[in-house]
Amino acid sequence: FYQREAGQQHTPPHALFFALVDIDHFKRINDTYGHKAGDDVLQQFAAVLGGLIRSGDYAVRWGGEEFLLVLRPMPCEHVATLGERLCGSIARHPFV
């Protein structure tokens, strides 16, 4: 991507986006409701992340309650908006 775009005269700067997403207070979920409930939350969280990214982007479980996002290059000015959208969508999701 970067080699192809480097020769373009009017292409705005783009960034490949990596993010490590961690579920806050996840241990409390397992301790309070059990590991089955924790697994359910992880599956729901993965589904929410998958619905927020484009095809060709990746959301993978990194370990424990952490997920790694690898998103195709996008205009640099969109990165902050994407982060806000991810956090807002996850915060509003009614986890069962």
Side-chain angles (χ1 to χ4, degrees), residues 28-58:
R28 190 179 318 156
I29 295 168
N30 277 338
D31 291 349
T32 304
Y33 302 104
H35 290 279
K36 170 67 170 100
D39 290 346
D40 291 345
V41 168
L42 289 172
Q43 291 174 2
Q44 292 172 56
F45 190 85
V48 170
L49 284 180
L52 293 170
I53 61 175
R54 303 166 293 181
S55 64
D57 293 337
Y58 298 94

Side-chain angles (χ1 to χ4, degrees), residues 1 3 25 30 34 54 58 81 84 95:
F1 172 85
Q3 288 176 344
H25 312 292
N30 277 338
R54 303 166 293 181
Y58 298 94
T81 303
E84 291 169 6
F95 288 92

Side-chain angles (χ1 to χ4, degrees), residues 21 52 81-93:
V21 182
L52 293 170
T81 303
L82 175 62
E84 291 169 6
R85 188 179 70 146
L86 287 168
C87 289
S89 294
I90 292 165
R92 287 187 301 275
H93 183 78

